[in-house]
Amino acid sequence: MKKVIIYIIGTVLCLIMADIIFGICSKYYIKNYQLIGRYRPLDRLIKEVDTDIICIGNSAILNSVNPEIIEDSLSMTCYNGGTTGQGVFFFETIIDCILQRHTPKMFVVGLRPEEIGGNIGEGIYDVLKPYYGIGYKSIDDHFNKASGFDRFLLHSNLLRYNTIWVRVLLYMLVDDTTYPENGFMPMNKPTHFPQLKQIETHEEPVKAKLECIERIIQKCRARNIDIVICFPPTLNDFKQKDLPCVMAIKDLCHRYKTPCLIDYNNKYFQSHPELFYDNGHVNKDGADKYSLLLATNISHLLYE
């Protein structure tokens, strides 16, 4: 029995030591090297991107805004910082991380029509766990809200960093050229183009999400950063003319004199299904056309 107890204690101590050493090595790697694989765009966005214009959003931005066209049109550098599956709280966290080290001239924040409704969550925050405890206050603040067992697991380096090292080892063996330097991930043309879809929704805006967008606007104003809110094109025909979620954002932007570019129901795009990958995302041709439209509208805002 005594040997069993000694064995258990020894095993636990070895695991604790391994966890500590693994954590030290992981934190050093994350602070000093660029992560690879699916973490690369997010890692660059948090630690390196210093362009004049930074686009923030989920796949509505990631697949819709071509930085090359923005740069050519506005003579300002641009990065597409869209991250699939995220929401407005995640956007605020990322903007806070960027502002710790860089003050861009402009943020472009892309939203879906239903973005601040109740059916869209706060985002997939697990992708930020590797950055916990290494100096990003907004990330630490989010995870420190966790309670009970989830809070306990945050202190396990073996759990928090395992996906990082799986990616590092994987891309030592295969070519890691999937993710472009400007962040833009265009969608290919589908075999069959989608058709305009009737959508009926009565979703109401969530107060906490509206307050989140308001905080983002206030932070930009405090630093004299221009901010543009946009709704990229969709192939969805919403039966309700003035969507409550969109109107709430529009009213908020009007109150702060912030440009709000509403194109989710743009008639030109909706009459050209060949510009879409699916009902919620434009394809590469659609992204180029929307990027030119976005750049033109921003140009008018800057020089009017």
Side-chain angles (χ1 to χ4, degrees):
M1 185 64 182
K2 185 178 180 180
K3 289 183 178 179
V4 172
I5 294 173
I6 293 173
Y7 176 79
I8 292 173
I9 293 173
T11 300
V12 170
L13 290 175
C14 286
L15 285 173
I16 292 173
M17 287 300 298
D19 190 81
I20 292 171
I21 294 170
F22 187 70
I24 293 171
C25 294
S26 297
K27 287 180 180 179
Y28 178 83
Y29 185 90
I30 290 170
K31 285 182 178 180
N32 294 281
Y33 296 94
Q34 186 181 106
L35 299 183
I36 55 180
R38 71 184 180 95
Y39 277 100
R40 175 182 283 180
L42 180 63
D43 194 64
R44 290 198 67 231
L45 183 63
I46 291 174
K47 299 189 319 195
E48 298 178 9
V49 170
D50 58 359
T51 54
D52 298 323
I53 300 173
I54 300 177
C55 303
I56 300 293
N58 47 36
S59 58
I61 279 289
L62 179 65
N63 309 133
S64 301
V65 179
N66 186 342
E68 291 181 3
I69 293 176
I70 302 294
E71 291 176 345
D72 290 344
S73 301
L74 300 177
S75 298
M76 291 193 288
T77 55
C78 179
Y79 184 81
N80 186 326
T83 310
T84 300
Q86 304 300 357
V88 294
F89 298 111
F90 186 91
F91 304 162
E92 182 185 21
T93 299
I94 294 301
I95 288 172
D96 286 342
C97 291
I98 294 169
L99 292 178
Q100 279 190 214
R101 58 168 185 80
H102 173 57
T103 302
K105 293 180 180 178
M106 177 184 293
F107 279 112
V108 176
V109 179
L111 303 174
R112 297 183 184 277
E114 68 278 17
E115 197 76 60
I116 60 166
N119 291 330
I120 302 289
E122 64 176 15
I124 308 170
Y125 266 88
D126 280 356
V127 297
L128 295 179
K129 281 184 177 178
Y131 302 95
Y132 176 76
I134 63 171
Y136 296 104
K137 183 178 182 302
S138 59
I139 293 176
D140 292 352
D141 288 346
H142 171 80
F143 286 114
N144 284 336
K145 294 175 186 175
S147 58
F149 191 60
D150 288 338
R151 182 71 177 272
F152 172 77
L153 291 178
L154 275 175
H155 298 287
S156 170
N157 296 308
L158 290 169
L159 288 176
R160 199 160 79 245
Y161 295 117
N162 70 83
T163 55
I164 293 291
W165 288 105
V166 168
R167 297 281 170 177
V168 169
L169 294 173
L170 173 64
Y171 287 103
M172 285 180 178
L173 303 175
V174 299
D175 185 27
D176 180 29
T177 57
T178 309
Y179 303 95
E181 290 300 304
N182 63 12
F184 175 46
M185 295 286 288
M187 305 298 285
N188 295 323
K189 286 187 176 182
T191 305
H192 302 287
F193 294 119
Q195 298 301 311
L196 187 64
K197 183 168 64 174
Q198 296 281 330
I199 299 289
E200 184 171 353
T201 178
H202 301 285
E203 208 169 347
E204 294 294 325
V206 174
K207 182 181 177 182
K209 293 184 178 181
L210 273 177
E211 291 172 345
C212 179
I213 296 294
E214 186 171 13
R215 286 195 301 271
I216 291 173
I217 293 173
Q218 290 171 341
K219 290 170 185 177
C220 289
R221 286 169 64 92
R223 291 173 174 254
N224 293 316
I225 300 170
D226 291 322
I227 179 169
V228 174
I229 306 294
C230 67
F231 290 85
T234 72
L235 201 55
N236 295 322
D237 182 16
F238 292 90
K239 290 184 178 181
Q240 191 172 0
K241 184 179 179 181
D242 297 321
L243 297 178
C245 289
V246 176
M247 295 309 296
I249 292 292
K250 186 178 179 180
D251 292 343
L252 177 64
C253 289
H254 178 73
R255 182 151 39 100
Y256 282 94
K257 295 181 172 58
T258 295
C260 184
L261 307 176
I262 299 175
D263 290 299
Y264 73 89
N265 57 354
N266 186 293
K267 297 305 179 187
Y268 172 80
F269 282 90
Q270 293 194 338
S271 64
H272 290 82
E274 70 276 8
L275 297 177
F276 287 85
Y277 172 77
D278 58 24
N279 289 79
H281 304 86
V282 292
N283 58 37
K284 176 63 167 64
D285 291 347
D288 288 348
K289 287 187 179 295
Y290 175 65
S291 299
L292 185 58
L293 174 64
L294 181 63
T296 301
N297 287 332
I298 291 174
S299 179
H300 291 160
L301 295 169
L302 290 176
Y303 302 115
E304 65 181 5

